[in-house]
Tab-separated table of all heavy atoms in Angstrom:
chain	number	residue	atom	x	y	z
L	1	LYS	N	-36.149	-38.231	27.904
L	1	LYS	CA	-37.322	-38.028	28.710
L	1	LYS	C	-37.347	-38.776	30.035
L	1	LYS	O	-38.112	-38.543	30.876
L	1	LYS	CB	-38.525	-38.665	27.903
L	1	LYS	CG	-38.671	-38.170	26.516
L	1	LYS	CD	-39.111	-36.689	26.491
L	1	LYS	CE	-39.327	-36.327	25.012
L	1	LYS	NZ	-39.593	-34.835	24.965
L	2	ASN	N	-36.208	-39.531	30.301
L	2	ASN	CA	-36.204	-40.432	31.541
L	2	ASN	C	-35.333	-39.869	32.603
L	2	ASN	O	-35.485	-40.276	33.716
L	2	ASN	CB	-35.658	-41.776	31.040
L	2	ASN	CG	-36.485	-42.443	29.985
L	2	ASN	OD1	-37.687	-42.423	30.137
L	2	ASN	ND2	-35.918	-42.955	28.978
L	3	LEU	N	-34.291	-38.990	32.284
L	3	LEU	CA	-33.464	-38.490	33.419
L	3	LEU	C	-34.252	-37.839	34.456
L	3	LEU	O	-35.073	-36.935	34.229
L	3	LEU	CB	-32.436	-37.440	32.748
L	3	LEU	CG	-31.548	-36.784	33.735
L	3	LEU	CD1	-30.533	-37.820	34.361
L	3	LEU	CD2	-30.715	-35.647	32.989
L	4	MET	N	-33.983	-38.209	35.659
L	4	MET	CA	-34.618	-37.519	36.841
L	4	MET	C	-33.990	-36.192	37.101
L	4	MET	O	-32.781	-36.091	37.363
L	4	MET	CB	-34.642	-38.422	38.036
L	4	MET	CG	-35.431	-39.688	37.891
L	4	MET	SD	-35.457	-40.707	39.368
L	4	MET	CE	-33.848	-41.497	39.238
L	5	ILE	N	-34.781	-35.144	37.086
L	5	ILE	CA	-34.227	-33.782	37.309
L	5	ILE	C	-34.897	-33.195	38.527
L	5	ILE	O	-36.022	-33.209	38.708
L	5	ILE	CB	-34.576	-32.890	36.057
L	5	ILE	CG1	-33.869	-33.408	34.797
L	5	ILE	CG2	-34.111	-31.379	36.354
L	5	ILE	CD1	-34.222	-32.573	33.545
L	6	VAL	N	-33.973	-32.670	39.364
L	6	VAL	CA	-34.442	-31.957	40.600
L	6	VAL	C	-33.888	-30.527	40.495
L	6	VAL	O	-32.647	-30.287	40.441
L	6	VAL	CB	-33.986	-32.603	41.824
L	6	VAL	CG1	-34.242	-31.857	43.137
L	6	VAL	CG2	-34.539	-34.105	41.974
L	7	PHE	N	-34.744	-29.547	40.557
L	7	PHE	CA	-34.276	-28.196	40.537
L	7	PHE	C	-33.924	-27.688	41.846
L	7	PHE	O	-34.465	-28.079	42.877
L	7	PHE	CB	-35.495	-27.355	40.031
L	7	PHE	CG	-35.679	-27.403	38.503
L	7	PHE	CD1	-36.763	-27.980	37.918
L	7	PHE	CD2	-34.709	-26.816	37.624
L	7	PHE	CE1	-36.924	-28.073	36.545
L	7	PHE	CE2	-34.792	-27.022	36.171
L	7	PHE	CZ	-36.057	-27.605	35.659
L	8	VAL	N	-32.836	-26.903	41.843
L	8	VAL	CA	-32.394	-26.274	43.112
L	8	VAL	C	-32.585	-24.766	42.859
L	8	VAL	O	-32.019	-24.157	41.966
L	8	VAL	CB	-30.908	-26.573	43.365
L	8	VAL	CG1	-30.445	-25.934	44.652
L	8	VAL	CG2	-30.645	-28.090	43.372
L	9	THR	N	-33.343	-24.092	43.749
L	9	THR	CA	-33.648	-22.659	43.490
L	9	THR	C	-33.779	-21.974	44.897
L	9	THR	O	-34.108	-22.505	45.856
L	9	THR	CB	-34.945	-22.540	42.702
L	9	THR	OG1	-35.230	-21.216	42.553
L	9	THR	CG2	-36.030	-23.294	43.371
L	10	GLY	N	-33.639	-20.708	44.720
L	10	GLY	CA	-33.862	-19.829	45.896
L	10	GLY	C	-35.166	-19.155	45.850
L	10	GLY	O	-35.538	-18.329	46.766
L	11	TYR	N	-35.945	-19.307	44.766
L	11	TYR	CA	-37.254	-18.695	44.576
L	11	TYR	C	-38.345	-19.523	44.303
L	11	TYR	O	-38.271	-20.369	43.347
L	11	TYR	CB	-37.119	-17.638	43.387
L	11	TYR	CG	-35.935	-16.650	43.651
L	11	TYR	CD1	-34.637	-16.924	43.030
L	11	TYR	CD2	-36.215	-15.509	44.281
L	11	TYR	CE1	-33.680	-16.069	43.273
L	11	TYR	CE2	-35.080	-14.623	44.469
L	11	TYR	CZ	-33.800	-14.890	43.963
L	11	TYR	OH	-32.846	-13.937	44.046
L	12	ALA	N	-39.349	-19.568	45.079
L	12	ALA	CA	-40.524	-20.467	44.938
L	12	ALA	C	-41.260	-20.241	43.616
L	12	ALA	O	-42.026	-21.073	43.235
L	12	ALA	CB	-41.425	-20.425	46.143
L	13	ASP	N	-41.068	-19.012	43.027
L	13	ASP	CA	-41.823	-18.696	41.843
L	13	ASP	C	-41.520	-19.710	40.599
L	13	ASP	O	-42.338	-19.710	39.773
L	13	ASP	CB	-41.499	-17.241	41.427
L	13	ASP	CG	-41.876	-16.236	42.378
L	13	ASP	OD1	-42.704	-16.584	43.195
L	13	ASP	OD2	-41.364	-15.080	42.337
L	14	TYR	N	-40.356	-20.303	40.728
L	14	TYR	CA	-39.992	-21.186	39.541
L	14	TYR	C	-40.588	-22.663	39.698
L	14	TYR	O	-40.457	-23.398	38.804
L	14	TYR	CB	-38.548	-21.266	39.530
L	14	TYR	CG	-37.791	-20.115	39.027
L	14	TYR	CD1	-37.038	-19.303	39.928
L	14	TYR	CD2	-37.748	-19.731	37.788
L	14	TYR	CE1	-36.328	-18.273	39.612
L	14	TYR	CE2	-37.181	-18.577	37.383
L	14	TYR	CZ	-36.410	-17.821	38.260
L	14	TYR	OH	-35.785	-16.755	37.845
L	15	VAL	N	-41.197	-22.935	40.794
L	15	VAL	CA	-41.651	-24.370	41.034
L	15	VAL	C	-42.470	-24.910	39.967
L	15	VAL	O	-42.253	-25.931	39.440
L	15	VAL	CB	-42.313	-24.373	42.437
L	15	VAL	CG1	-42.953	-25.764	42.560
L	15	VAL	CG2	-41.344	-24.113	43.541
L	16	PHE	N	-43.560	-24.157	39.585
L	16	PHE	CA	-44.516	-24.707	38.565
L	16	PHE	C	-43.806	-24.768	37.174
L	16	PHE	O	-44.147	-25.745	36.468
L	16	PHE	CB	-45.810	-23.904	38.620
L	16	PHE	CG	-46.535	-23.912	39.805
L	16	PHE	CD1	-46.598	-22.864	40.721
L	16	PHE	CD2	-47.327	-25.131	40.215
L	16	PHE	CE1	-47.324	-23.020	41.943
L	16	PHE	CE2	-47.967	-25.257	41.351
L	16	PHE	CZ	-48.068	-24.103	42.239
L	17	ASP	N	-43.017	-23.863	36.923
L	17	ASP	CA	-42.212	-23.990	35.678
L	17	ASP	C	-41.459	-25.278	35.587
L	17	ASP	O	-41.290	-25.899	34.484
L	17	ASP	CB	-41.304	-22.758	35.462
L	17	ASP	CG	-42.072	-21.518	35.157
L	17	ASP	OD1	-43.202	-21.558	34.749
L	17	ASP	OD2	-41.474	-20.403	35.418
L	18	GLY	N	-40.828	-25.669	36.718
L	18	GLY	CA	-40.112	-26.863	36.794
L	18	GLY	C	-40.906	-28.153	36.516
L	18	GLY	O	-40.499	-29.021	35.723
L	19	TYR	N	-42.135	-28.230	36.892
L	19	TYR	CA	-43.039	-29.389	36.644
L	19	TYR	C	-43.397	-29.441	35.275
L	19	TYR	O	-43.621	-30.522	34.665
L	19	TYR	CB	-44.315	-29.363	37.608
L	19	TYR	CG	-43.892	-29.583	39.001
L	19	TYR	CD1	-44.428	-28.759	40.068
L	19	TYR	CD2	-43.136	-30.689	39.367
L	19	TYR	CE1	-44.172	-28.977	41.414
L	19	TYR	CE2	-42.826	-30.884	40.782
L	19	TYR	CZ	-43.355	-30.074	41.681
L	19	TYR	OH	-42.976	-30.251	43.019
L	20	ARG	N	-43.351	-28.251	34.605
L	20	ARG	CA	-43.697	-28.330	33.149
L	20	ARG	C	-42.588	-29.088	32.269
L	20	ARG	O	-42.869	-29.693	31.292
L	20	ARG	CB	-43.679	-26.859	32.568
L	20	ARG	CG	-44.302	-26.667	31.236
L	20	ARG	CD	-44.173	-25.353	30.600
L	20	ARG	NE	-42.776	-24.916	30.459
L	20	ARG	CZ	-42.244	-23.899	31.003
L	20	ARG	NH1	-42.899	-23.240	31.996
L	20	ARG	NH2	-40.985	-23.520	30.895
L	21	THR	N	-41.363	-29.116	32.808
L	21	THR	CA	-40.364	-29.833	32.093
L	21	THR	C	-40.175	-31.338	32.568
L	21	THR	O	-39.167	-31.939	32.301
L	21	THR	CB	-39.050	-29.125	32.315
L	21	THR	OG1	-38.723	-29.052	33.680
L	21	THR	CG2	-38.954	-27.775	31.737
L	22	GLY	N	-41.080	-31.780	33.369
L	22	GLY	CA	-41.102	-33.080	33.928
L	22	GLY	C	-40.124	-33.274	34.990
L	22	GLY	O	-39.572	-34.336	35.153
L	23	ALA	N	-39.897	-32.276	35.786
L	23	ALA	CA	-38.940	-32.433	36.953
L	23	ALA	C	-39.491	-33.370	38.006
L	23	ALA	O	-40.822	-33.406	38.295
L	23	ALA	CB	-38.698	-31.074	37.481
L	24	LEU	N	-38.693	-34.098	38.699
L	24	LEU	CA	-39.186	-35.015	39.691
L	24	LEU	C	-39.522	-34.125	40.992
L	24	LEU	O	-40.488	-34.482	41.598
L	24	LEU	CB	-38.062	-35.879	40.154
L	24	LEU	CG	-38.263	-36.890	41.206
L	24	LEU	CD1	-39.352	-37.881	40.854
L	24	LEU	CD2	-36.881	-37.581	41.640
L	25	ASP	N	-38.768	-33.086	41.185
L	25	ASP	CA	-39.058	-32.324	42.404
L	25	ASP	C	-38.230	-31.019	42.371
L	25	ASP	O	-37.422	-30.797	41.357
L	25	ASP	CB	-38.713	-33.077	43.741
L	25	ASP	CG	-39.461	-32.645	44.914
L	25	ASP	OD1	-40.069	-31.529	44.906
L	25	ASP	OD2	-39.550	-33.389	45.870
L	26	TYR	N	-38.319	-30.252	43.366
L	26	TYR	CA	-37.470	-29.125	43.462
L	26	TYR	C	-37.030	-28.965	44.970
L	26	TYR	O	-37.813	-29.490	45.858
L	26	TYR	CB	-38.145	-27.792	43.092
L	26	TYR	CG	-39.144	-27.284	44.016
L	26	TYR	CD1	-38.897	-26.302	45.001
L	26	TYR	CD2	-40.442	-27.864	44.061
L	26	TYR	CE1	-39.864	-25.868	45.903
L	26	TYR	CE2	-41.482	-27.443	45.038
L	26	TYR	CZ	-41.053	-26.461	45.968
L	26	TYR	OH	-41.979	-26.055	46.910
L	27	ILE	N	-35.884	-28.342	45.201
L	27	ILE	CA	-35.479	-28.118	46.613
L	27	ILE	C	-35.025	-26.631	46.681
L	27	ILE	O	-34.481	-26.072	45.845
L	27	ILE	CB	-34.410	-29.035	47.027
L	27	ILE	CG1	-33.095	-29.076	46.043
L	27	ILE	CG2	-34.842	-30.383	47.263
L	27	ILE	CD1	-31.975	-29.950	46.544
L	28	MET	N	-35.391	-26.064	47.883
L	28	MET	CA	-35.154	-24.677	48.099
L	28	MET	C	-33.732	-24.503	48.792
L	28	MET	O	-33.303	-25.286	49.486
L	28	MET	CB	-36.220	-24.059	48.984
L	28	MET	CG	-37.573	-24.052	48.340
L	28	MET	SD	-37.741	-23.002	46.890
L	28	MET	CE	-37.551	-21.409	47.660
L	29	LYS	N	-33.080	-23.483	48.346
L	29	LYS	CA	-31.846	-23.013	48.988
L	29	LYS	C	-32.168	-22.236	50.269
L	29	LYS	O	-33.070	-21.474	50.207
L	29	LYS	CB	-31.066	-22.155	48.121
L	29	LYS	CG	-30.496	-22.951	46.906
L	29	LYS	CD	-29.650	-21.923	45.959
L	29	LYS	CE	-29.087	-22.581	44.718
L	29	LYS	NZ	-28.323	-21.726	43.903
L	30	PRO	N	-31.442	-22.367	51.282
L	30	PRO	CA	-30.357	-23.298	51.564
L	30	PRO	C	-30.899	-24.751	51.667
L	30	PRO	O	-31.914	-24.982	52.339
L	30	PRO	CB	-29.717	-22.875	52.806
L	30	PRO	CG	-30.811	-22.097	53.567
L	30	PRO	CD	-31.624	-21.508	52.517
L	31	VAL	N	-30.338	-25.743	51.100
L	31	VAL	CA	-30.679	-27.130	51.050
L	31	VAL	C	-30.632	-27.727	52.387
L	31	VAL	O	-29.657	-27.652	53.112
L	31	VAL	CB	-29.913	-27.940	50.017
L	31	VAL	CG1	-30.394	-29.358	50.005
L	31	VAL	CG2	-29.970	-27.264	48.612
């Protein structure tokens, strides 16, 4: 439960799904 996860994605549609898994943040491609 503690690992900090940052999603890397090319699609903003995934952002809210990422927070459901306790993600710290997301970054869009190109980074």
Side-chain angles (χ1 to χ4, degrees):
K1 307 294 185 185
N2 302 313
L3 176 65
M4 291 181 284
I5 297 176
V6 173
F7 285 109
V8 184
T9 178
Y11 304 94
D13 296 344
Y14 289 111
V15 171
F16 293 107
D17 290 337
Y19 290 130
R20 189 186 68 244
T21 61
L24 177 68
D25 205 342
Y26 75 96
I27 52 179
M28 298 293 296
K29 294 180 179 179
V31 179

